Amino acid sequence: MLNEKTHEVSGAIEIPGLLSFLADNSFTTKVKGLNEFPKNDLPPMIVHYFFDLMVSMGVFCFIISGVYMLFLLIKKLRKYLTHKVTLYAILLTGPASTLAIEFGWFLTEMGRQPWIIRGYMRVSQAATQAGGITLVTIMFGILYLVLLVTSAYVLIRMYKNKPAYQDVDKVIEKRGGTK
């Protein structure tokens, strides 16, 4: 957990020398901490939470993929491939992976603040003064709404009379597995 007042992290899993190795391929490299930078060059502390959320979603997807592979490889466990819990967990990996991408994007964009190009140009210098941004934002919102409605309509029509788990059962039966 991050204490935003003292900038201290508590409950972290620390591996001595690993950050140095990641930064410079040497276990003895000194890595500068946030306290060694001027206060007006620091990113907002919320980026720490975006990193945690991004990694959590990625680990969740990795675990679900691993469990699925385990069920697929061990014949005695194949019956769990079409279990409701397994199918719901697999279903959740879609939104979780999208959230991981979005959290990573927020991490990247907010983490570089206040710089647009580190050490050369601040965001305040690069911000556009062009008009019409509101219209473009509204048009993209409408586009995404149309895409949401049409893709939901297509998927509902596809699976209305034939649930997806029936296709999964057929694939498992072809491979010689059990239901």
Side-chain angles (χ1 to χ4, degrees), residues 70-114:
L70 188 70
F71 289 169
L72 196 60
L73 295 174
I74 300 173
K75 286 187 179 188
K76 289 182 180 181
L77 297 177
R78 283 191 184 163
K79 62 185 174 189
Y80 295 113
L81 284 172
T82 57
H83 192 272
K84 277 188 176 184
V85 173
T86 306
L87 294 176
Y88 279 119
I90 292 168
L91 179 71
L92 289 175
T93 60
S97 61
T98 303
L99 285 172
I101 291 168
E102 293 302 320
F103 292 144
W105 184 255
F106 281 117
L107 169 70
T108 302
E109 292 303 318
M110 292 178 80
R112 71 168 149 193
Q113 298 297 320

Side-chain angles (χ1 to χ4, degrees), residues 9-109:
V9 177
S10 61
I13 300 171
E14 295 184 28
I15 302 173
L18 185 61
L19 183 59
S20 298
F21 181 76
L22 289 172
D24 194 40
N25 286 338
S26 169
F27 290 104
T28 58
T29 300
K30 179 166 175 28
V31 179
K32 288 172 66 173
L34 287 177
N35 294 336
E36 297 177 36
F37 289 93
K39 290 225 186 262
N40 63 341
D41 288 347
L42 294 179
M45 288 293 115
I46 195 168
V47 298
H48 178 80
Y49 296 113
F50 284 126
F51 176 78
D52 290 345
L53 288 167
M54 177 187 70
V55 170
S56 299
M57 295 297 143
V59 168
F60 171 74
C61 292
F62 183 74
I63 288 171
I64 297 302
S65 299
V67 168
Y68 181 81
M69 290 304 297
L70 188 70
F71 289 169
L72 196 60
L73 295 174
I74 300 173
K75 286 187 179 188
K76 289 182 180 181
L77 297 177
R78 283 191 184 163
K79 62 185 174 189
Y80 295 113
L81 284 172
T82 57
H83 192 272
K84 277 188 176 184
V85 173
T86 306
L87 294 176
Y88 279 119
I90 292 168
L91 179 71
L92 289 175
T93 60
S97 61
T98 303
L99 285 172
I101 291 168
E102 293 302 320
F103 292 144
W105 184 255
F106 281 117
L107 169 70
T108 302
E109 292 303 318

Side-chain angles (χ1 to χ4, degrees), residues 113-135:
Q113 298 297 320
W115 300 100
I116 195 77
I117 303 171
R118 174 109 7 232
Y120 292 101
M121 182 184 287
R122 291 186 175 270
V123 173
S124 59
Q125 296 169 316
T128 183
Q129 302 300 322
I133 298 296
T134 305
L135 177 63

